Amino acid sequence: MTTHERILILDFGSQVTQLIARRVREAGVYCEIRPFTIPMEEITAFGAKGIILSGGPASVHGDASPTIDAAVFELGVPVLGICYGEQLICKLLGGRVSSGGTREFGRADLTIVADSALFKDVWNMGNGHPVWMSHGDKVDAIPEGFVVTATSRGAPYAAIAHEEKRIYGLQFHPEVAHTPDGAKLLANFVNTICGCTGDWSMKGFRDEEIARIREKVGSSRVICGVSGGVDSLVAAKLLHEAIGDQLCCIFVNTGLLRLGEAEQVQKSFNDHYKIPLVYVDASATFLGALAGVSDPETKRKIIGKLFIDIFDAEATKVSDAKFLAQGTLYPDVIESVSFHGGPSVVIKSHHNVGGLPEKMKLGLVEPLRELFKDEVRKLGVELGLPPAMVYRHPFPGPGLAIRIPGEITPEKVAILQRADAIYIEELRANDLYDKIWQAFAVLLPVNTVGVMGDARTYEAVCALRAVTSTDGMTADVFAFPHDVLLRISNRIVNEVHGINRVTYDITSKPPATIEWE
């Protein structure tokens, strides 16, 4: 358990609650997200220097509306309510919230009407401050002792404050990128109002986690599964720094990896990092089991079960192993405890390949459990890993299986591997790779007639996808330079036999379509 200054975020089901935590940590302050249902005793015991109430999809008027004990406001620590959080403050402390009338979703202009510690050195009096709104209910009256600090066209109480009690409410969302100065407001809350000194850093985390690992593991051996992805690589490097050759990593080649990835992983672990690695080439087993299977969920289940069985068989060969290391990240922890009914309870099945077999009687070591994805990357750099590896685009657990709609064959895998490799090679050559959050090729289950030279062809269509993201929570399409897109398409059609047409996905997708590792 961390001993840093702490901010507690109570989750009311907003799909962007994680962004609040990310912004707080960007300010150098450690924080945790807990469901609003935790008892008052646990809130008190947490020892927070400040509490943030998140937004949420519910109305404060419902019989089963999420709520908290009003004693939270008597703890003597600052409280910030965001969207639903502001409405809940008003309801619990004697204000009034109404349903119906004018809703406010999307961009809005804020007018600052009174000074507030929350706006210090960020916003001055006057209008024209862009923010992001997302609310149907509206605050009609604020509790006694509060003052209005900002308004918008649709929200006369867009920001409220009780400076003496240090209780603040915002009807807009400061955590999202659409509120340009929102991160500064949250930094003001945690650093200035709550008095946090900003003692959360990757260097400090690295040293503390190494000490925790050594204390927990002792002289026992630890097994760690690696995939070639960023999370498992960083976890393995951190564990190896902590316990050296007590660590045994197992890498299962499913045959569904990127081109040359199996060789790259072996070279990195064996030659560069000197981390003990057991390599299992199970590509024929996986591809054989997937033969004739088209349903995507069935594919995932087959891959998950096979992976667990093969990993388990190899793990039992490691003598004196007492612990299993997992690359669990903080978003996984949040999802596992989210309150029923909130959007964050949806588990990302599109990349998960299965859990652990119950028969593995091993203790768990989760060195990345407190970190978000961007923090894992920062830790990787702190550990001395090459930025080119640390900042690789995410790759889903089932690998290329979910990038080949329909039946999977060894031939299709080989075609897609080559096309994807050309795509990524050109992105790097044109200095575009690091401007894109995730880029990949998809082998569509469609063949088209084409003419190449004097011959007619009947081959597959390859789709290219590239998305940008500022926070890893939402994504937008990447605006490709036309000449680069033409060069990529030309190379794939000429160099990859089996593809005669390339198309580019120009649609923007919701967060759930981003394929995390």
Side-chain angles (χ1 to χ4, degrees):
M1 183 67 68
T2 181
T3 58
H4 294 281
E5 298 168 325
R6 296 144 66 86
I7 296 293
L8 175 62
I9 301 168
L10 295 179
D11 181 20
F12 292 90
S14 170
Q15 63 180 340
V16 291
T17 298
Q18 290 186 23
L19 289 184
I20 302 173
R22 292 167 74 101
R23 300 296 173 255
V24 171
R25 295 207 184 167
E26 287 169 5
V29 180
Y30 182 78
C31 64
E32 291 185 16
I33 298 172
R34 301 287 177 85
F36 74 92
T37 52
I38 64 172
M40 191 64 205
E41 300 78 35
E42 189 173 334
I43 293 176
T44 303
F46 186 84
K49 296 201 69 173
I51 296 174
I52 299 176
L53 312 179
S54 85
S59 167
V60 295
H61 295 296
D63 293 337
S65 297
T67 190
I68 54 173
D69 191 327
V72 164
F73 303 108
E74 304 301 325
L75 291 175
V77 300
V79 178
L80 171 64
I82 295 173
C83 197
Y84 183 89
E86 182 197 56
Q87 295 170 8
L88 190 60
I89 287 173
C90 290
K91 179 183 178 182
L92 294 176
L93 297 183
R96 188 173 67 250
V97 181
S98 66
S99 296
T102 302
R103 299 177 299 176
E104 199 171 24
F105 291 92
R107 188 182 183 278
D109 286 322
L110 203 69
T111 299
I112 308 302
V113 298
D115 290 331
S116 172
L118 209 56
F119 302 150
K120 182 177 172 56
D121 298 326
V122 180
W123 287 334
N124 297 319
M125 299 283 285
N127 57 17
H129 306 292
V131 297
W132 192 258
M133 294 283 190
S134 182
H135 64 97
D137 288 354
K138 183 174 70 172
V139 175
D140 283 333
I142 56 178
E144 184 180 352
F146 282 78
V147 296
V148 182
T149 56
T151 65
S152 71
R153 175 175 293 183
Y157 303 100
I160 61 175
H162 193 308
E163 297 289 353
E164 184 180 349
K165 291 187 175 180
R166 297 182 298 170
I167 302 175
Y168 302 85
L170 300 175
Q171 190 60 79
F172 58 91
H173 287 271
E175 70 271 29
V176 300
H178 304 79
T179 300
D181 293 317
K184 295 178 182 178
L185 295 185
L186 290 170
N188 262 354
F189 178 72
V190 298
N191 295 131
T192 304
I193 297 172
C194 297
C196 295
T197 57
D199 62 354
W200 171 254
S201 70
M202 278 303 104
K203 183 181 186 306
F205 174 85
R206 168 188 173 174
D207 296 341
E208 292 166 7
E209 190 60 31
I210 285 175
R212 281 196 288 259
I213 292 168
R214 288 172 177 167
E215 181 180 1
K216 181 171 185 176
V217 170
S219 59
S220 302
R221 299 192 72 187
V222 178
I223 298 170
C224 179
V226 296
S227 64
V230 175
D231 300 341
S232 61
L233 174 61
V234 173
K237 186 70 167 63
L238 182 63
L239 285 160
H240 193 248
E241 284 207 5
I243 60 175
D245 288 349
Q246 290 172 234
L247 175 67
C248 176
C249 294
I250 298 175
F251 173 49
V252 179
N253 181 0
T254 64
L256 300 164
L257 304 173
R258 290 172 282 206
L259 187 67
E261 187 146 44
E263 294 77 14
Q264 183 186 45
V265 170
Q266 293 179 80
K267 183 176 179 62
S268 296
F269 276 72
N270 293 330
D271 300 341
H272 192 67
Y273 304 120
K274 306 299 182 183
I275 300 175
L277 179 73
V278 174
Y279 171 69
V280 184
D281 185 357
S283 53
T285 303
F286 278 88
L287 292 173
L290 291 168
V293 178
S294 297
D295 180 70
E297 285 302 319
T298 304
K299 290 179 189 176
R300 293 184 180 98
K301 290 176 181 177
I302 290 172
I303 294 168
K305 184 178 185 306
L306 268 179
F307 183 89
I308 290 170
D309 290 344
I310 293 170
F311 183 86
D312 185 30
E314 291 300 321
T316 57
K317 299 176 185 178
V318 181
S319 61
D320 302 325
K322 298 290 180 61
F323 292 92
L324 178 71
Q326 283 188 291
T328 307
L329 302 189
Y330 193 50
D332 303 319
V333 177
I334 296 168
E335 287 175 351
S336 69
V337 299
S338 294
F339 76 90
H340 180 68
S344 57
V345 302
V346 180
I347 302 301
K348 305 184 290 290
S349 68
H350 65 278
H351 79 280
N352 293 326
V353 295
L356 295 171
E358 293 182 2
K359 62 183 177 180
M360 289 185 72
K361 305 298 183 182
L362 299 173
L364 270 183
V365 179
E366 298 173 304
L368 310 180
R369 184 181 174 87
E370 295 179 351
L371 303 183
F372 286 100
K373 185 74 174 185
D374 56 325
E375 292 174 321
V376 172
R377 296 186 189 279
K378 292 175 183 176
L379 176 60
V381 173
E382 180 66 35
L383 289 166
L385 295 172
M389 295 189 70
V390 170
Y391 288 96
R392 292 180 73 190
H393 292 178
F395 191 64
L400 299 181
I402 61 172
R403 296 178 181 174
I404 303 177
E407 182 182 0
I408 296 173
T409 66
E411 293 75 23
K412 288 182 178 180
V413 172
I415 289 171
L416 183 56
Q417 284 177 329
R418 293 197 296 273
D420 192 71
I422 290 171
Y423 185 23
I424 300 304
E425 180 183 316
E426 285 293 332
L427 293 182
R428 291 192 183 280
N430 289 277
D431 295 325
L432 297 177
Y433 186 85
D434 292 330
K435 298 177 182 178
I436 297 171
W437 176 265
Q438 186 185 47
F440 57 86
V442 177
L443 191 65
L444 299 181
V446 177
N447 280 11
T448 63
V449 175
V451 176
M452 301 177 71
D454 295 322
R456 185 177 295 275
T457 63
Y458 187 63
E459 295 177 330
V461 177
C462 174
L464 304 180
R465 180 149 167 75
V467 295
T468 60
S469 179
T470 57
D471 49 38
M473 297 293 291
T474 56
D476 201 356
V477 65
F478 176 70
F480 252 113
H482 189 61
D483 59 330
V484 177
L485 196 56
L486 287 177
R487 184 159 53 251
I488 294 170
S489 302
N490 185 264
R491 281 197 61 191
I492 290 175
V493 169
N494 281 298
E495 298 177 32
V496 183
H497 295 287
I499 294 176
N500 69 0
R501 185 166 300 180
V502 175
T503 182
Y504 177 55
D505 182 358
I506 60 171
T507 60
S508 178
K509 302 292 184 181
T513 62
I514 300 180
E515 299 168 0
W516 312 112
E517 289 178 276

